[in-house]
């Protein structure tokens, strides 16, 4: 058996999208109605992987840290929050429309694609200058023509009529565009109820919504997604020291998921928003190359200042030792569950030759695999084998989860199915189990090798491997 491909082959994206659908990881949303652009559903395997990603993040960002507390704020909030934060005015991407087919493009992204440095923070004037200079090199991805409108800023906040009973819809509320605003507006509550001292952080995981102009690349840029955000409040002179610590910590946390260091890279932002001190992205080597997976930002006093002003409530902190009062500085780590999910799928996707066939398997670290163990009777038409396999399944199911019972098709086919969802171990009950020595075979996903293990030792054997 040769472990052949860990390549970034050109059709890796297609292979992953297809496996995600085939094996119940990710489905296009509303598929039977023709789909809904930029939105996806997570199937039975996908939701397990998602939950493992979020649990891993929570463990690293809350449970392992005495200085960070968790929060679950609402998706809908007082619309004044989005005014104070600047989102109703400034949360926008440059959009242009093809005059021939009305397709919309995100101008900074199409410029980047032809190698021109641009980003969404550029003024309308500057991005239009670049767009004009390079229009001849840009074709509409839909109709291939080269006849575009000027770029204009398009606001990404998703509006709703929740709580708006005006006929004309003039008092919209918003689905949150990022989860961290719910953290900023709860800083005072968390401080008062938990008596935290600086530096300390607040973490949360939850849905965010953006009216992305051009959702693309599968889970990479979607209109509905989940964020895992942690906002860390510091004294003024601690901000950059804590920032460096946070960068190091997040890097370590991501590596512990089983992502290879060679597939990660830091990207420092040159073009910062006016209040930011520093911003880095952790990029992953996606099928199209390195791209942002998570952002780590030093944001100064901006967030708590604007919410102090917007709400009229003083969000400054009184240092009980020095008696000094000041607005805490904030550093944040902000990652998308979908982008990490996609990175883990790319990282795990492996092809090798087993027997005479090409086999596809997902080489997840056992602790993040959607299913930990599958239990099979060797033959489904032998009642004694099926009965014993069910007993072994019930015994394991008390201690390890999720696990799966499978007696569908021949054993080879069952192994392939489990390989494709990344199940690290398959336990098979055979004739030796019931006639000879009460042992089962345990097959290792990555090597395909099998060991005989006594049923009475199975739980501790598997637990020691599922780390
Ligand atoms: N609070 C800071 C913030 O939201 P961001 O760079 O806009 O910063 C942070 O987003 C992270 O959220 C990104 O690094 C990415 O992982 C994820 N993210 C942002 N927009 C996304 C989208 N449209 N689809 C999927 N994930 C997205």
């Amino acid at each position: 058996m040769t472990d052949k491909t860990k390549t970034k082959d050109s059709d890796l994206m297609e292979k992953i999208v297809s496996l995600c659908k085939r094996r119940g990881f990710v489905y296009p949303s509303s598929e039977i109605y023709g789909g809904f652009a930029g939105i996806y559903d997570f199937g039975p395997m996908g939701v397990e992987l998602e939950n493992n990603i979020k649990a891993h993040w929570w463990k690293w960002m809350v449970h392992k840290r005495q200085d960070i507390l968790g929060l679950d704020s609402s998706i809908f909030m007082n619309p004044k929050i989005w005014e104070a934060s600047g989102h109703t005015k400034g949360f926008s991407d440059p959009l242009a429309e093809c005059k021939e087919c009305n397709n919309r493009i995100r101008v900074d992204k199409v410029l980047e694609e032809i190698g021109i440095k641009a980003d969404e923070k550029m003024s309308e004037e500057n991005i239009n200058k670049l767009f004009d200079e390079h229009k001849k090199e840009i074709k509409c991805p839909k109709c291939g023509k080269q006849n575009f409108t000027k770029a204009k800023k398009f606001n990404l906040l998703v509006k709703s009529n929740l709580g708006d009973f005006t006929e004309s819809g003039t008092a919209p509320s918003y689905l949150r565009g990022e989860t961290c605003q719910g953290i900023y507006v709860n800083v005072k509550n968390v401080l008062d109820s938990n008596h935290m001292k600086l530096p300390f952080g607040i973490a949360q995981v939850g849905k965010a919504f953006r009216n992305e102009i051009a959702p693309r690349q599968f889970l990479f840029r979607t209109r509905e997604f989940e964020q895992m955000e942690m906002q860390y409040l510091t004294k003024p002179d601690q901000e950059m020291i804590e920032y460096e610590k946070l960068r190091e910590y997040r890097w370590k946390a991501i590596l512990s998921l089983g992502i290879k260091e060679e597939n990660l890279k830091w990207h420092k932002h040159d073009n910062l928003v006016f209040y930011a001190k520093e911003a880095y992205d952790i990029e992953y080597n996606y099928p199209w190359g390195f791209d942002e997976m998570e952002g780590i930002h030093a944001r100064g006093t901006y967030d708590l200042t604007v919410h102090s002003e917007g709400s009229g409530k003083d969000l400054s902190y009184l240092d009980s030792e020095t008696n000094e009062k000041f607005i805490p500085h904030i550093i944040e780590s902000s990652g998308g569950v979908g982008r990490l999910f996609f990175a883990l799928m790319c990282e795990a996707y492996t092809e090798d030759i087993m027997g005479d066939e090409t086999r596809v398997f997902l080489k997840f670290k056992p602790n993040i695999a959607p299913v930990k163990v599958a239990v099979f009777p060797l033959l489904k038409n032998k009642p004694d084998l099926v009965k014993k396999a069910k007993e072994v399944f019930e015994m394991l199911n008390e201690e390890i989860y999720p696990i799966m019972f499978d007696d569908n098709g021949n054993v080879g086919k069952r192994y392939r199915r489990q390989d494709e969802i990344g199940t690290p171990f398959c336990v098979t009950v055979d004739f030796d189990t019931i006639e000879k020595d009460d042992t089962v075979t345990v097959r290792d996903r990555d090597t395909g090798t099998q060991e005989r293990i006594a049923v009475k030792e199975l739980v501790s054997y598997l637990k020691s491997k599922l780390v």
Side-chain angles (χ1 to χ4, degrees), residues 91 177-178 180 184 210 212 219-223 225-227 229 231 292-295 297 299 332 334-336 339:
F91 189 48
E178 56 179 7
C180 59
Y184 303 141
R210 297 183 186 178
E212 294 286 355
L219 300 176
F220 187 80
R221 191 173 305 288
T222 55
R223 290 183 173 144
F225 54 98
E226 268 191 293
Q227 283 188 316
E229 296 204 295
Q231 308 295 313
E292 174 183 347
M293 186 167 74
E294 162 164 340
H297 312 130
R299 302 180 57 89
E332 77 168 350
S334 174
R339 288 197 191 176

Side-chain angles (χ1 to χ4, degrees), residues 27 43 90 144 150 160 164 194 207 213 237 349 364 373 399 448:
Y27 311 125
K150 271 188 157 331
S160 104
D164 178 10
N194 293 275
K207 291 264 179 169
I213 297 163
D237 59 352
Y349 186 92
F364 291 127
V373 181
E399 302 276 343

Side-chain angles (χ1 to χ4, degrees), residues 183-464:
I183 296 182
Y184 303 141
V185 299
N186 274 295
V187 157
K188 197 168 156 27
N189 284 334
V190 175
L191 262 175
D192 291 349
S193 59
N194 293 275
H195 310 289
M196 300 301 283
K197 287 212 160 62
L198 295 190
F200 83 94
I202 305 176
Q204 81 165 327
V205 178
K207 291 264 179 169
F209 303 83
R210 297 183 186 178
N211 221 346
E212 294 286 355
I213 297 163
R216 64 185 182 118
Q217 280 139 324
F218 193 38
L219 300 176
F220 187 80
R221 191 173 305 288
T222 55
R223 290 183 173 144
E224 173 179 334
F225 54 98
E226 268 191 293
Q227 283 188 316
M228 304 180 285
E229 296 204 295
M230 195 281 293
Q231 308 295 313
Y232 200 71
L233 282 67
T234 75
K235 294 181 185 176
D237 59 352
Q238 292 171 327
E239 181 178 1
M240 296 318 290
I241 299 165
E242 293 301 333
Y243 181 71
E244 286 310 318
K245 285 201 231 163
L246 182 61
R247 286 215 296 135
E248 214 174 287
Y249 190 71
R250 286 303 307 149
W251 188 263
K252 222 166 106 190
I254 289 169
L255 288 181
S256 79
L257 279 164
I259 294 189
K260 283 193 249 22
E261 201 153 14
E262 72 215 39
N263 284 330
L264 294 173
K265 167 164 118 177
W266 286 109
H267 167 77
K268 187 173 192 239
H269 287 217
D270 306 324
N271 191 6
L272 293 172
V273 277
F274 70 93
Y275 52 82
K277 297 250 181 68
E278 195 140 274
Y280 273 89
D281 294 335
I282 297 179
E283 294 189 335
Y284 178 73
N285 191 10
Y286 289 102
W288 57 92
F290 280 94
D291 215 334
E292 174 183 347
M293 186 167 74
E294 162 164 340
I296 299 169
H297 312 130
R299 302 180 57 89
T301 55
Y302 177 78
D303 306 292
L304 296 184
T305 304
V306 295
H307 287 304
S308 283
E309 288 166 7
S311 66
K313 300 282 183 308
D314 182 9
L315 299 182
S316 56
Y317 172 86
L318 178 66
D319 188 329
S320 56
E321 280 158 27
T322 61
N323 236 7
E324 267 179 284
K325 212 171 165 207
F326 55 87
I327 295 277
H329 287 230
I330 285 191
I331 57 174
E332 77 168 350
S333 75
S334 174
V337 175
R339 288 197 191 176
L340 190 47
F341 184 112
F342 190 8
L344 286 167
M345 292 298 296
C346 295
E347 196 72 15
Y349 186 92
T350 313
E351 291 175 5
D352 67 6
I353 307 291
M354 194 173 264
D356 299 333
E357 284 174 14
T358 300
R359 151 180 101 125
V360 171
F361 68 107
L362 295 180
K363 209 171 179 174
F364 291 127
K365 252 188 111 177
N367 63 356
I368 63 143
V371 173
K372 306 293 185 238
V373 181
V375 181
F376 313 150
L378 181 66
L379 300 169
K380 74 183 280 190
N381 56 358
K382 296 282 173 200
D384 288 355
L385 289 182
V386 174
K387 182 167 171 276
K388 179 70 180 176
K390 286 201 167 144
E391 280 168 25
V392 170
F393 173 85
E394 291 303 336
M395 174 190 81
L396 292 179
N397 204 28
E398 290 293 313
E399 302 276 343
I400 300 169
Y401 34 77
I403 66 170
M404 206 180 249
F405 183 87
D406 190 0
D407 61 2
N408 198 1
N410 68 44
V411 170
K413 284 208 174 112
R414 290 181 233 160
Y415 283 148
R416 294 293 172 277
R417 270 201 299 275
Q418 295 300 329
D419 286 344
E420 284 206 345
I421 59 170
T423 306
F425 300 103
C426 291
V427 168
T428 303
V429 168
D430 58 16
F431 292 106
D432 280 0
T433 319
I434 51 174
E435 289 168 5
K436 212 165 138 196
D437 54 8
D438 206 34
T439 62
V440 288
T441 64
V442 178
R443 173 191 179 265
D444 180 285
R445 173 198 65 201
D446 301 345
T447 60
T449 54
Q450 299 183 18
E451 262 187 276
R452 288 207 83 88
I453 304 290
V455 170
K456 63 177 184 320
E457 279 155 22
L458 196 54
V459 169
S460 60
Y461 174 86
L462 289 169
K463 275 190 171 172
S464 72

